Amino acid sequence: MEIGKARRDLLAGAIFVAFGVAFVSISLTYEIGTPVRMGSGYFPLVMGGILVLLGVLIVGKGLLAGSGEPIGIWPWRAIVLITVAVLLFGLTVRGLGLVPALAVTALVSAFASPRVGVVQAVVIAVGLTALCIVIFVFALQLRLDPFGAWLRF
């Protein structure tokens, strides 16, 4: 078994385990509850546990298979743009509101792929924004302001 060849699986599994452990540890600061009466920490606890389990399985697969390709070149453009998009959403969702924040986030995220042009990015942003509004505002009935205080005239 050559560990160098299984780096992708080992790294992916370690990332899953790290996020799972983070979710579990944060969820323990909230009320867990029971499956019938779930507290605010129940869902993150379960999801964190699933992430840890998946991570362990992926690491195990990497160790058992021992084969694979090297990691290769890191997609820095995608890493930077996805990180910027998430930060933009967090910083603007209250001020701009849900619709503009989603649109900006989806637009910036679409440019993470070098194969996406301006027209495709706009179509992706409009589609994802509409889908998120349907899911979160209409289906789940979350009370989110479509337009925030920064856009009130």
Side-chain angles (χ1 to χ4, degrees):
M1 172 180 55
E2 191 174 325
I3 298 227
K5 289 186 174 184
R7 279 190 215 156
R8 283 186 178 185
D9 286 339
L10 296 176
L11 182 59
I15 290 170
F16 272 68
V17 169
F19 274 101
V21 167
F23 273 95
V24 167
S25 63
I26 291 171
S27 74
L28 295 176
T29 63
Y30 296 104
E31 181 184 341
I32 303 296
T34 65
V36 175
R37 292 187 157 227
M38 296 179 198
S40 56
Y42 188 85
F43 186 75
L45 177 70
V46 171
M47 289 297 109
I50 291 171
L51 281 175
V52 169
L53 178 64
L54 286 174
V56 168
L57 291 174
I58 291 170
V59 167
K61 176 200 170 264
L63 291 174
L64 290 176
S67 63
E69 300 168 10
I71 293 176
I73 299 172
W74 288 62
W76 288 110
R77 175 181 172 156
I79 292 169
V80 169
L81 287 177
I82 297 297
T83 303
V84 166
V86 170
L87 290 173
L88 274 174
F89 182 81
L91 293 172
T92 62
V93 70
R94 288 187 191 264
L96 289 176
L98 186 64
V99 173
L102 283 171
V104 169
T105 301
L107 189 64
V108 172
S109 298
F111 286 117
S113 172
R115 292 179 273 181
V116 173
V118 174
V119 173
Q120 291 172 315
V122 169
V123 169
I124 290 169
V126 168
L128 282 176
T129 301
L131 181 65
C132 287
I133 295 299
V134 167
I135 291 171
F136 294 111
V137 175
F138 295 113
L140 295 176
Q141 297 180 351
L142 296 178
R143 295 176 195 248
L144 301 168
D145 289 332
F147 297 96
W150 297 348
L151 298 178
R152 301 215 196 275
F153 301 103

